[in-house]
Amino acid sequence: EVQLVESGGGLVQPGRSLKLSCLASGFTFSNYGMNWIRQAPGKGLEWVASISSSSSYIYYADTVKGRFTISRDNAKNTLYLQMTSLRSEDTALYYCARQRNYYDGPVFDYWGQGVMVTVSS
Amino acid sequence: DIQMTQSPASLSASLGETVTIECLASEDIYSNLAWYQQKPGKSPQLLIYYANSLNDGVPSRFSGSGSGTQYSLKINSLQSEDVSIYFCQQNYDSPPTFGGGTKLELK
């Protein structure tokens, strides 16, 4: 069974940093592109960042470019999101999501349960 | 960025009814369109990809159609477990973008 379990969220002051993790199991993690997608309270979905299976290709939403860094450790089956210079508008539930396959592009077939990040003084 | 506009924003329907949700892209996305279902308090789940391909395990009462800029999700014979928010998403161009969602409730 595919499982994605996020951790590392919490309450943080504006301007501070936070690092999210997503532990994957039930599939060969190193074969799949992975993504972070967020959902502000009561709002829709916003793609944040993606990383290819071997970390060769990395993309960011303009809203986080230069502040967030996506990375992965295939030996540990773990995806990361390092968030710096956090703003109130970064407050959201952050989901880790698997890309269905390379050929379809960003179609997300498995999602974690999400981890809440609250940016507030 | 490609804008995705869903309609209606909310919808109330009766059990057994057929429901259709629309999604309009700001430019041609060549059927690179996915639909997700988000049940209350849960993570989104992939229903349909490439406009009309049903994801594994998704009931056959769900179907997708469309081309160009206009797409739709149809739910036949509405069940109570279909109460959810439905999102469309284009995967044609970067960044991938989502529609604002359609909240489906039971009448």
Side-chain angles (χ1 to χ4, degrees):
Chain A
E1 180 195 4
V2 171
Q3 284 198 310
L4 299 169
V5 180
E6 302 94 337
S7 61
L11 173 63
V12 61
Q13 292 179 327
R16 304 298 290 265
S17 300
L18 202 61
K19 187 172 185 177
L20 305 182
S21 299
C22 170
L23 178 62
S25 61
F27 66 102
T28 304
F29 181 70
S30 59
N31 286 351
Y32 289 85
M34 297 296 296
N35 296 259
W36 288 99
I37 297 163
R38 67 185 181 184
Q39 187 171 32
K43 301 296 184 182
L45 298 164
E46 180 189 17
W47 171 82
V48 172
S50 67
I51 185 167
S52 62
S53 57
S54 60
S55 304
S56 298
Y57 301 98
I58 289 175
Y59 303 98
Y60 297 98
D62 286 345
T63 51
V64 306
K65 200 174 293 181
R67 300 187 299 122
F68 289 13
T69 302
I70 189 172
S71 62
R72 64 190 296 163
D73 185 335
N74 286 343
K76 295 183 177 179
N77 289 345
T78 303
L79 175 73
Y80 302 101
L81 186 68
Q82 176 69 56
M83 304 183 292
T84 64
S85 303
L86 282 161
R87 306 166 180 168
S88 58
E89 55 264 37
D90 295 318
T91 294
L93 188 63
Y94 284 74
Y95 294 105
C96 160
R98 190 182 85 166
Q99 189 162 311
R100 185 175 175 271
N101 60 45
Y102 173 81
Y103 306 100
D104 289 341
V107 177
F108 313 113
D109 63 347
Y110 285 94
W111 300 57
Q113 84 286 354
V115 61
M116 189 67 201
V117 173
T118 303
V119 183
S120 175
S121 53
Chain B
D1 298 1
I2 296 175
Q3 306 302 314
M4 306 299 292
T5 304
Q6 280 183 243
S7 62
S10 63
L11 180 57
S12 181
S14 302
L15 291 174
E17 198 174 321
T18 294
V19 167
T20 300
I21 298 169
E22 308 284 344
C23 183
L24 178 67
S26 59
E27 60 184 83
D28 196 330
I29 57 172
Y30 301 94
S31 296
N32 289 280
L33 190 284
W35 289 98
Y36 299 87
Q37 176 191 52
Q38 186 174 31
K39 295 186 178 183
K42 300 294 186 182
S43 308
Q45 292 184 296
L46 177 65
L47 292 176
I48 287 169
Y49 59 95
Y50 206 58
N52 59 15
S53 296
L54 213 60
N55 193 30
D56 292 344
V58 175
S60 59
R61 64 179 181 275
F62 291 90
S63 63
S65 63
S67 62
T69 62
Q70 295 183 297
Y71 300 86
S72 62
L73 172 70
K74 185 177 175 182
I75 309 172
N76 287 318
S77 189
L78 189 69
Q79 305 294 304
S80 58
E81 61 263 32
D82 299 335
V83 169
S84 300
I85 300 176
Y86 293 86
F87 295 95
C88 62
Q89 176 236 328
Q90 65 82 17
N91 59 298
Y92 173 68
D93 194 21
S94 187
T97 47
F98 294 85
T102 295
K103 186 174 185 179
L104 175 59
E105 299 175 318
L106 283 179
K107 194 180 290 182

